[in-house]
Amino acid sequence: MKTFAFFVLYMLLAVVVILLAVLLGADGAWYFAWLVGTAMIVLIAAAGAAMLDAQEEQAAGRVAGKPEPRT
Amino acid sequence: MINGTVVDLSRTQFAATALYHYLFVPLTLGLSFLLAAMETVYVTTGKPIYKDMARFWGKLFMINFALGVATGLTMEFQFGTNWSFYSSFVGDIFGAPLAIEGLMAFFMESTFVGLMVFGWDRLSRGQHLAVTWLVALGSNLSALWILIANSFMQDPSGAAFNPVTMRMELTSFQELIFNSDAQSKFVHTSIAGYVTAAIFVAGVSAWYMLRNRHMELAKRSFRMAALYGVLATVGVITLGDALGFVAAHAQPTKLAAMEGQWKSEPAPMPFNLIAFPDQARQENHYAIQVPALLSLLVTHSLDGTVPGIDALQRRAALRVENGIPAVEALKVLSKDPANAAALAGFNAHRQDLGYGFLAQRYEADPGKATAGEIAQAARDSIPPVASVFWAFRLMVGLGLLMLAFFVLALLYTLPNVVHRKTWFLKVAVWMIPVPFLANEFGWLTAELGRQPWTVYGVLPTWMSASTHSVAYMAFSLIGFVALYTAFISVEMYLMMRAVRQGPEENWRIES
């Protein structure tokens, strides 16, 4: 149920983002948007991988009984 | 007059070649930047797993790249062999972006691909990363120039017909490159490639996770693909809307066909969610409509309207009548280029020259065209509605399915539990063909919607082909289909073999 609620929430978020982009950028400078957007997508994907490393290191630390790092 | 069967066979051959080629291209466009992302993480963190990932997915990229090049080269030759009148008519404009693509983007991409594959042990980390980014940039720049050429066929900006040389000539390179169709189409197509690569990587990673193989690589690849894919899918949908918005102005018949809009209606116009268009009767059967949505989608306002096919056909009939004197003047100018009266007559009607050509299909001397022939020529200006309508809906439907898939993928990968969701991993594997189908439907929407023109409003398809024999065209078509089917089979065999083998164990030792 919780997953479904989040799924609906994320889908709504995607729809809002698309609507905003559509309304703001009917005749947009799309080449420029591609340059910026591609760099952003690549970097976010890269950040996602780094985040997974951190999550696994944290989980491994918990399994080994180490105290979790303070944030 | 070119034999109609030859034209149809030429169209089928080009469509078959393009559809085969377009199975390879999007994966190259998207996977190249995903490789760049993986290698960026490797260089910044120094963790060898990311090098393994870049090398493994790079191997699959290379299989796809090689076969994509093999299928793409023949398309450029087909312009000359099967579409010689088209090439002569618009070659001065159309040839420029294709030449730039070959000399700049393709050479760049091909050169750096070699360095990317063989340079792992010869280049420093930073140098190799730069090479990978350049491959990604080169692949996408290659697509840029091809799509600029294609956009000229959809919206011929920056060019004018010269009645003395009997060819279209470039008037503004800037308009050619920056026209709205080229901009939105390039970005839409390029990031559709990102979505394709993301689904491919997610699907193969899911397959590994289902078998508990290469888990470290699979989980990281899946996470990166999910993030890359969700953002790209949002971008594809946004740019799809932009492309529709552009088409509403530049290609109203394509838009009307995409929406099955037979009749002009007052605002706010309803959207045909599902319908079965009947071209002969010019009406839809069993239509399910959403009120006001069409106005909102194509004009971005509730009080905007777009013309229906009835109005567009009436407008086309007037343009055919106005274009006939231009064709007649052109015949005079072809024999006597200095004839001032013919030149003045041509200039007075030149904006409808293409519509005059539509009438010439039925009457070699269009000045003698009957009212029935003019009406038929006007009917010809409408693309095949049912095919365009359904190709568009299938593309959009599959696009929304991929958005839902990526949202769910994020929900499972961000807390790092995706490897435990067996049902979802199975779905991910079955999702692999979806973006390829969506890409093909998108291409069909764009190109069938352009009919009956090779260059929209300027040059009809029926007069663009070469004067080959039916036997020649049928033989070469069968040859192409057989050859390309073999290519697809080879690609699938090599891909599946590489996936089954997985990342090679000696990669880390080598480094």
Side-chain angles (χ1 to χ4, degrees):
Chain A
M1 193 62 201
K2 189 179 157 197
T3 305
F4 179 73
F6 271 109
F7 174 73
V8 172
L9 185 71
Y10 282 13
M11 283 297 279
L12 281 174
L13 188 66
V15 169
V16 169
V17 169
I18 291 166
L19 278 176
L20 275 176
V22 161
L23 294 174
L24 293 175
D27 267 321
W30 294 119
Y31 289 154
F32 179 70
W34 176 80
L35 279 173
V36 176
T38 296
M40 186 194 77
I41 291 172
V42 167
L43 291 177
I44 288 177
M51 186 180 140
L52 181 59
D53 287 338
Q55 283 171 311
E56 295 211 326
E57 279 162 24
Q58 203 174 19
R62 272 203 299 269
V63 170
K66 288 179 192 168
E68 286 185 23
R70 284 183 191 170
T71 53
Chain B
M1 181 86 67
I2 301 164
N3 183 327
T5 310
V6 171
V7 177
D8 289 342
L9 286 169
S10 301
R11 283 186 63 200
T12 309
Q13 188 174 113
F14 197 86
T17 317
L19 289 171
Y20 274 112
H21 180 56
Y22 206 53
L23 287 170
F24 302 101
V25 173
L27 189 56
T28 297
L29 298 182
L31 201 48
S32 58
F33 273 118
L34 203 42
L35 288 177
M38 289 169 184
E39 203 173 328
T40 301
V41 186
Y42 167 59
V43 172
T44 50
T45 65
K47 294 185 176 171
I49 180 65
Y50 293 103
K51 184 179 181 185
D52 288 352
M53 283 164 62
R55 291 196 78 163
F56 171 66
W57 295 111
K59 188 176 171 183
L60 300 184
F61 170 86
M62 277 312 298
I63 295 169
N64 188 65
F65 178 81
L67 286 156
V69 170
T71 53
L73 287 175
T74 50
M75 287 175 65
E76 299 208 16
F77 288 111
Q78 275 186 34
F79 289 119
T81 56
N82 296 354
W83 299 98
S84 55
F85 188 78
Y86 166 84
S87 296
S88 160
F89 196 82
V90 296
D92 291 2
I93 307 125
F94 193 77
L98 290 190
I100 297 171
E101 188 268 333
L103 293 172
M104 190 186 99
F106 184 63
F107 280 12
M108 172 178 163
E109 177 188 7
S110 306
T111 306
F112 286 111
V113 152
L115 287 172
M116 188 176 89
V117 174
F118 300 110
W120 280 108
D121 304 318
R122 294 171 177 81
L123 300 171
S124 69
R125 284 183 189 182
Q127 285 169 336
H128 197 277
L129 178 65
V131 162
T132 305
W133 272 94
L134 286 169
V135 168
L137 194 63
S139 305
N140 283 269
L141 281 180
S142 193
L144 168 71
W145 290 107
I146 296 289
L147 290 168
I148 285 172
N150 178 270
S151 290
F152 171 75
M153 298 166 78
Q154 315 285 348
D155 177 12
S157 305
F161 180 75
N162 183 337
V164 176
T165 60
M166 297 284 165
R167 295 153 71 96
M168 295 281 285
E169 290 175 359
L170 192 63
T171 54
S172 168
F173 194 56
Q174 192 180 343
E175 272 186 52
L176 179 71
I177 294 174
F178 289 100
N179 90 56
S180 297
D181 189 87
Q183 293 212 38
S184 48
K185 180 168 282 172
F186 164 66
V187 183
H188 183 62
T189 309
S190 168
I191 51 181
Y194 302 178
V195 176
T196 307
I199 294 254
F200 176 76
V201 170
V204 173
S205 303
W207 190 80
Y208 283 141
M209 284 190 260
L210 279 168
R211 280 154 188 76
N212 205 21
R213 285 177 59 192
H214 314 297
M215 290 299 282
E216 213 183 339
L217 176 141
K219 282 201 281 183
R220 278 159 184 77
S221 298
F222 192 95
R223 164 72 66 89
M224 293 185 79
L227 283 163
Y228 188 75
V230 75
L231 294 171
T233 310
V234 168
V236 166
I237 295 171
T238 305
L239 266 295
D241 175 83
L243 207 47
F245 190 79
V246 170
H249 301 285
Q251 294 180 288
T253 52
K254 179 193 278 183
L255 186 84
M258 280 160 66
E259 306 301 351
Q261 196 66 33
W262 296 105
K263 307 275 183 260
S264 300
E265 291 182 46
M269 298 172 82
F271 174 78
N272 288 314
L273 195 63
I274 292 174
F276 296 91
D278 182 336
Q279 191 106 10
R281 294 184 174 200
Q282 300 211 334
E283 62 183 27
N284 293 327
H285 300 297
Y286 311 111
I288 299 173
Q289 296 186 319
V290 181
L293 188 59
L294 183 60
S295 286
L296 203 58
L297 283 176
V298 298
T299 67
H300 297 173
S301 77
L302 282 171
D303 53 3
T305 58
V306 284
I309 286 171
D310 55 350
L312 293 169
Q313 206 167 291
R314 282 196 298 275
R315 200 184 295 171
L318 293 175
R319 295 192 73 177
V320 171
E321 283 179 27
N322 195 48
I324 287 172
V327 177
E328 289 183 307
L330 205 58
K331 284 186 173 176
V332 176
L333 287 167
S334 68
K335 290 172 189 155
D336 177 14
N339 189 317
L343 188 61
F346 174 80
N347 283 331
H349 299 275
R350 64 183 307 153
Q351 72 275 17
D352 291 327
L353 174 67
Y355 286 84
F357 288 145
L358 285 180
Q360 207 178 8
R361 182 177 188 183
Y362 300 103
E363 177 58 62
D365 181 359
K368 293 179 185 165
T370 63
E373 286 169 335
I374 290 173
Q376 182 58 47
R379 270 196 295 277
D380 286 353
S381 69
I382 306 303
V385 176
S387 315
V388 177
F389 180 89
W390 277 107
F392 175 64
R393 265 147 196 76
L394 287 167
M395 173 191 70
V396 172
L398 294 174
L400 294 174
L401 173 68
M402 289 185 278
L403 179 65
F405 169 79
F406 280 122
V407 168
L408 211 46
L410 271 192
L411 278 172
Y412 289 142
T413 188
L414 287 181
N416 196 18
V417 294
V418 69
H419 53 287
R420 290 186 225 138
K421 306 289 177 187
T422 311
W423 72 269
F424 183 71
L425 296 177
K426 287 179 183 165
V427 169
V429 176
W430 284 103
M431 283 294 289
I432 291 176
V434 171
F436 293 93
L437 289 171
N439 293 329
E440 299 286 10
F441 287 128
W443 199 248
L444 285 170
T445 305
E447 303 311 312
L448 284 173
R450 176 170 43 82
Q451 295 305 316
W453 309 98
T454 42
V455 180
Y456 193 84
V458 175
L459 183 66
T461 307
W462 74 265
M463 61 188 287
S464 302
S466 302
T467 51
H468 291 307
S469 67
V470 172
Y472 171 88
M473 285 310 304
F475 177 76
S476 55
L477 173 61
I478 292 167
F480 272 117
V481 170
L483 183 68
Y484 284 10
T485 304
F487 281 170
I488 294 281
S489 308
V490 168
E491 156 120 356
M492 288 182 72
Y493 168 73
L494 291 174
M495 283 278 195
M496 286 163 81
R497 197 178 69 164
V499 169
R500 271 197 296 268
Q501 282 176 345
E504 291 172 27
E505 298 300 328
N506 59 352
W507 278 342
R508 291 196 200 181
I509 298 163
E510 277 174 18
S511 61

